Amino acid sequence: MPRLRLSARADATDTPPIPAARGWAARYAGAAGPMLDLTQAVPGYPPHPELLDRLGHAAAERGTAGYGPIDGDVGLREALADELSVAYGTPVGAEDVSITAGCNLAFTMAMTVLAGSGDAVLLPVPWYFNHRMTLELLGIQALPFATRAEDGFIPDPDALAAAITPQVRAVVLVTPNNPTGAIYPPDVIGRIARLCRERGVWLVLDETYRDFLPEPAAAPHGLFAEAGWQDGVVQLYSFSKSYCIPGHRMGAIVGGGAFRQGLLKVLDSFQICPSRPAQAALAWAIPALRGWRAGNRAVMAGRAAAFSAAMGTLPDWHVDAMGTYFAYLRIPSGMPDAMPMAERLAAERGLLVLPGPFFGPGQERHLRLAFANAGDAALAALPARLDHATQLA
C-alpha cells in the first residue's frame, strides 16, 4: 500500500518550541522546588472581573451566536480606532481596522496578502518563531537579518537597506520585541518606514506589547500621521496580553487601501468572522478599563525591576536586552550552549526557559525568559537555579 503523503512544507517546519521545551521538564523530580515556567508570554494576573462577566453574558446572547461582519463588529473596530488615535496622537479610522481571531492569524493573513511562493520577507533576528514557521508553511522565504547585542538588538536601518533583495516583499518589525524585549525608538521605525517606501517594500509592525511601554504618553512612532500610510504600512495588534484573554484569540490588523481590499478576501476565507462574544465585551473594555490597564503596566514594570534585582546577584549572567515581558539572557562563557543549557535547567532545576536557537540563527549563547508571568517570589528564586547551573559547568 503506498504511503499517504503530507504537505512538504508542514513536514519541514520545526516542532512548536514551547511544547518541546516543556517536554524537558517532564524529567524534573522537584529537587529545586516548584516548577518555574518562564517559557510563554502569558499575563500573570486574571482578567478584570467585569470583563469576565460581560464575556459570559455575551456568550449567552442569541445575537452573538450568528455570523458577523468578516472584518469584525463595528463597535469594536470603532473603539480600537479611537484608542489608536489617542495612543498615536493622530486620527485612525475604523475603516482601516479589521478584527482577527488572534494576532498569529493576523500575521498569517497579512503575509498571505503581501507575499507568495518564491517571495521573501525580511525578519530581524532574533525573530518570533511563529512568524518564521508561518512563512515556511506559506512557502515564503524568511530572510534573516541579524541584529546585535551591542546595539540592544535594535535594527540598523543602513544595514537593513543592504539586506533587502529583489525578492523581499515586506519587512517585519516586532516592537516591543519578542524575544528580546527591546523597544525600537520612533526615529528608527521612521527611518525603516522611509526605506521601505523607497524600495517598494511593505513595513509590517507587530505591536502586540504596545500597551506595556514604559512611557505610554509618547507615541511609539509617527507613521499613522503620514499621508498615505495605508499604501505601505500594516500594523498588527493583540488583545491577549492587554486584557488577559489569550484563550479568546482576539487580534487586529490596521491597514487600508489596496492591502485592505486583498485582506477582505483572506478574512472571508480564513476566519469568516472573529468571535462575536469577545468582540462585544472588548468594545466595552477598551474605554472602560484604561485605568486597569495602566495598573497592569505598572505591575509589569515592577516585575521587570524585580527581575533586574535578582539578576544583579549573578554577575556572570548578562542581560543583553529586556523590556515589557521579556529578557534576553547571555549564557556565561565556559558554559554549554543554549539548547543543552535550557534542557539542563528544565530537567534538573525546574526552570523552563526558551533557548536562543528557537529564535533564529546565531543565537546559541542566549536564553529568553518571560518574566512577566512570574510573581516576586518566583523571581527571587531565579538566581539560585541559575547559579546551580553555573556550578555544574
Side-chain angles (χ1 to χ4, degrees):
M1 182 176 180
R3 177 179 176 270
L4 298 179
R5 291 183 294 175
L6 300 173
S7 163
R9 293 176 185 169
D11 187 57
T13 301
D14 291 339
T15 300
I18 291 176
R22 289 177 177 169
W24 299 328
R27 308 200 307 270
Y28 177 57
M35 189 76 68
L36 178 53
D37 188 348
L38 302 183
T39 56
Q40 192 167 28
V42 294
Y45 42 81
H48 191 281
E50 189 168 352
L51 176 58
L52 287 175
D53 186 59
R54 287 175 177 268
L55 283 166
H57 283 293
E61 292 178 359
R62 182 174 178 178
T64 62
Y67 287 126
I70 61 175
D71 56 351
D73 291 347
V74 66
L76 179 54
R77 291 172 52 221
E78 289 177 344
L80 182 56
D82 290 344
E83 184 78 6
L84 292 169
S85 299
V86 172
Y88 294 91
T90 191
V92 177
E95 67 275 7
D96 293 325
V97 175
S98 299
I99 306 302
T100 66
C103 196
N104 270 13
L105 184 59
F107 179 81
T108 302
M109 293 190 291
M111 292 300 106
T112 301
V113 176
L114 297 178
S117 297
D119 293 333
V121 169
L122 198 64
L123 297 183
V125 175
W127 57 38
Y128 173 44
F129 48 74
N130 281 147
H131 286 173
R132 197 275 308 160
M133 293 169 67
T134 294
L135 292 173
E136 190 162 35
L137 290 167
L138 293 174
I140 301 167
Q141 180 187 7
L143 192 63
F145 168 72
T147 61
R148 306 190 313 155
E150 300 92 321
D151 301 326
F153 296 104
I154 304 296
D156 178 348
D158 293 331
L160 191 144
I164 295 177
T165 69
Q167 289 73 39
V168 170
R169 295 291 178 266
V171 171
V172 176
L173 302 182
V174 182
T175 178
N177 188 255
N178 178 3
T180 66
I183 297 168
Y184 298 173
D187 66 307
V188 171
I189 296 173
R191 287 178 61 193
I192 294 175
R194 289 191 292 274
L195 164 67
C196 288
R197 279 198 303 271
E198 293 167 1
R199 301 290 288 273
V201 170
W202 287 86
L203 175 61
V204 178
L205 286 171
D206 184 333
E207 297 187 79
T208 290
Y209 300 94
R210 182 199 70 222
D211 290 334
F212 298 95
L213 284 167
E215 297 180 4
H221 56 77
L223 302 188
F224 293 140
E226 297 179 1
W229 66 264
Q230 296 93 335
D231 296 326
V233 174
V234 174
Q235 186 210 51
L236 310 180
Y237 177 72
S238 171
F239 296 95
S240 295
K241 311 313 191 263
S242 301
Y243 298 91
C244 307
I245 54 167
H248 285 278
R249 308 309 306 136
M250 295 298 295
I253 299 175
V254 182
F259 169 81
R260 180 170 169 80
Q261 294 307 308
L263 178 63
L264 291 173
K265 304 173 188 178
V266 178
L267 289 167
D268 192 47
S269 299
F270 280 30
Q271 70 175 21
I272 305 297
C273 70
S275 167
R276 302 200 66 208
Q279 290 186 79
L282 285 169
W284 165 84
I286 289 177
L289 298 185
R290 284 195 179 102
W292 178 77
R293 297 200 315 273
N296 292 338
R297 183 170 57 247
V299 169
M300 291 298 101
R303 290 185 180 175
F307 175 83
S308 294
M311 294 307 303
T313 67
L314 297 174
D316 290 339
W317 291 83
H318 189 267
V319 179
D320 275 342
M322 68 174 294
T324 60
Y325 264 58
F326 305 109
Y328 211 52
L329 195 61
R330 190 196 314 155
I331 300 170
S333 60
M335 299 188 68
D337 280 345
M339 293 297 286
M341 175 57 71
E343 183 173 1
R344 169 189 289 182
L345 288 170
E348 299 179 14
R349 304 303 296 165
L351 174 60
L352 274 69
V353 300
L354 292 184
F358 285 163
F359 302 99
Q363 306 304 304
E364 291 80 8
R365 301 302 299 171
H366 284 91
L367 303 172
R368 190 199 77 173
L369 286 70
F371 60 77
N373 61 355
D376 289 347
L379 293 174
L382 182 61
R385 304 204 187 191
L386 289 172
D387 189 48
H388 181 83
T390 305
Q391 295 170 19
L392 293 176

